[in-house]
Amino acid sequence: MRRTVGRVAALYRYPVKSMAAEPLDSVDVSWNGLAGDRRWGFVRPDSGGDGFPWLTLRQHHELGTYRPRVTDPGRPDASGVTVRTPAGTERDVLDPALAAELGGHPMKLDRGTFDSAPVSLLTTRSLTDLAGLLGSPPGPGRFRPNILVETGEPEENWVGGTVTLGGVRVRADRRDRRCVVVTIDPRTGRRSPEVLRAIATHRAGTFGLYGTVELPGRLAVGDPVVVEAPDHPTPDHPAADPPAAGGPVTGRTRIES
């Protein structure tokens, strides 16, 4: 059954992995997610044996206070990127001084530096519910979604179905299992352990959902959101096998940075 559940309230891309969001009014969405999203990342000099190469908020709590910007909005995937540091200095993403400041070296991946899936989605209903548990609104930036949907229902009800947003259709693959990243305020770098504690206690450790693009297209703030979901919420679906070249891209476990 297809239902109109709300509208797109906000769009965010993250030109550099784990840095601040770049709010958008509209964006093209391909198999590889939002144009220009997480195309750059900083590689850790030593992964510490965990096999994960990217510098994230786990290692650098103030990374979210660095504000990247795509310099050619008309070609975001091919564009250069500048980064405003917390000190107010504007640096090119390839500037050695920025690499030295962060303790990693920049790398670009045309398909994006995703931990799990190319699209992440969160609803205002989930934010409202969490604010009630915490006593204050945590703000969407802490959870690093690509798409914020204004609706009166939680996104986990859509898992196993599809979500059509404007000209884009996304498969709602599975819930977003959260980690310590959500305890870090992206504006200040300060920790609030109670955020993860509330999610673990009241939401089985998940908040938001991961999605895979089924139909690329154009997406804008204000677009209607139509859900085609199972009659009853289903368990999280595992990621599909990697598609043939040119098809949708799926990933592994989480997309928080």
Side-chain angles (χ1 to χ4, degrees):
M1 180 177 67
R2 289 173 58 86
R3 300 179 293 115
T4 299
V5 298
R7 68 179 190 94
V8 176
L11 295 169
Y12 307 99
R13 73 171 159 221
Y14 306 85
V16 181
K17 186 176 185 65
S18 286
M19 290 188 182
E22 184 178 25
L24 302 169
D25 293 324
S26 60
V27 66
D28 289 317
V29 180
S30 71
W31 303 119
N32 301 319
L34 278 65
D37 186 46
R38 294 174 171 93
R39 300 307 191 247
W40 287 90
F42 278 78
V43 179
R44 298 158 57 187
D46 179 3
S47 67
D50 62 11
F52 189 80
W54 307 110
L55 183 67
T56 74
L57 289 161
R58 296 176 185 87
Q59 296 82 35
H60 195 309
H61 294 173
E62 295 186 352
L63 203 56
T65 64
Y66 288 76
R67 308 194 68 82
R69 178 178 60 85
V70 168
T71 56
D72 184 355
R75 301 186 311 129
D77 285 334
S79 173
V81 170
T82 61
V83 177
R84 180 172 291 277
T85 71
T89 305
E90 195 91 8
R91 297 193 185 279
D92 189 276
V93 70
L94 292 170
D95 189 331
L98 180 61
E101 184 174 332
L102 294 175
H105 65 271
M107 179 179 291
K108 185 179 182 186
L109 273 74
D110 289 339
R111 291 193 174 191
T113 58
F114 305 115
D115 298 352
S116 177
V119 175
S120 58
L121 184 151
L122 185 63
T123 65
T124 55
R125 167 63 185 271
S126 289
L127 286 172
T128 299
D129 289 349
L130 186 58
L133 296 171
L134 297 173
S136 61
R142 187 181 291 266
F143 307 102
R144 307 184 67 77
N146 290 124
I147 305 166
L148 180 65
V149 176
E150 183 179 327
T151 179
E153 59 186 83
E155 66 283 337
E156 59 259 31
N157 290 352
W158 307 339
V159 172
T162 61
V163 184
T164 300
L165 313 102
V168 178
R169 187 172 70 245
V170 173
R171 186 178 70 211
D173 289 326
R174 56 203 179 279
R175 296 167 181 160
D176 188 338
R177 186 161 298 280
R178 294 298 182 165
C179 68
V180 295
V181 165
V182 301
T183 68
I184 302 167
D185 187 330
R187 298 165 299 179
T188 64
R190 289 195 292 269
R191 284 183 175 273
S192 301
E194 64 272 14
V195 175
L196 184 58
R197 191 178 305 124
I199 291 172
T201 302
H202 299 280
R203 297 182 62 96
T206 65
F207 198 72
L209 64 78
Y210 305 125
T212 301
V213 178
E214 288 191 333
L215 178 66
R218 186 76 175 172
L219 180 58
V221 171
D223 278 348
V225 177
V226 178
V227 170
E228 187 168 357
D231 291 335
H232 303 285
T234 61
D236 293 352
H237 288 199
D241 291 333
V249 176
T250 59
R252 299 192 304 280
T253 54
R254 64 180 52 157
I255 176 172
E256 294 182 353
S257 54

